[in-house]
Amino acid sequence: MVEALLYRPGRRRLWFYRVEIAMNLFAEASVIVEWGLSGGQPNRRVSCHGDLRAASHAADRYRKRAIQRGYARV
C-alpha cells in the first residue's frame, strides 16, 4: 500500500486529498482517492487497474492534479 496525503488550508477548516494504491482480492491494483474537509465525511473514488504500473500512473495523475489545485504536503 502506497499513500500520498495532501492538505489545503480553507477559511475555517483544513481540506485533505488522499491517494492510495492497494491490491484488491482479484489480483488487481486499485487506486483509492479520498477528498473533503478534515473531520467530515470524505468523498471517495476507486478505480481498478490490471497491473501496478497502470495504477501508479493513474495515482500520479491524481496527485499532480491535486497539487495544481493548491494541495501540498504539510
Side-chain angles (χ1 to χ4, degrees), residues 5-19:
L5 186 58
L6 306 168
Y7 293 101
R8 183 179 71 187
R11 289 185 179 173
R12 296 184 183 153
R13 293 185 9 193
L14 197 63
W15 287 83
F16 74 93
Y17 196 90
R18 185 174 75 91
V19 180

Side-chain angles (χ1 to χ4, degrees), residues 1 4 6-7 12 19-21 23-24 27-28 31 33 35 38 42-43 45 50 52 58 67 69 74:
M1 174 171 60
L6 306 168
Y7 293 101
R12 296 184 183 153
V19 180
E20 178 182 350
I21 300 174
M23 299 302 288
N24 64 22
E28 297 174 329
V31 177
V33 180
W35 67 95
S38 182
N43 296 307
R45 176 182 297 147
L52 191 56
I67 289 171
R69 292 180 179 170
V74 176

Side-chain angles (χ1 to χ4, degrees), residues 12-68:
R12 296 184 183 153
R13 293 185 9 193
L14 197 63
W15 287 83
F16 74 93
Y17 196 90
R18 185 174 75 91
V19 180
E20 178 182 350
I21 300 174
M23 299 302 288
N24 64 22
L25 294 175
F26 304 108
E28 297 174 329
S30 297
V31 177
I32 304 161
V33 180
E34 290 184 336
W35 67 95
L37 287 171
S38 182
Q41 184 69 22
N43 296 307
R44 180 179 294 180
R45 176 182 297 147
V46 178
S47 60
C48 296
H49 300 275
D51 60 353
L52 191 56
R53 182 181 303 247
S56 177
H57 287 297
D60 200 38
R61 282 194 307 268
Y62 284 122
R63 186 186 58 82
K64 286 180 181 178
R65 189 173 356 162
I67 289 171
Q68 289 175 348

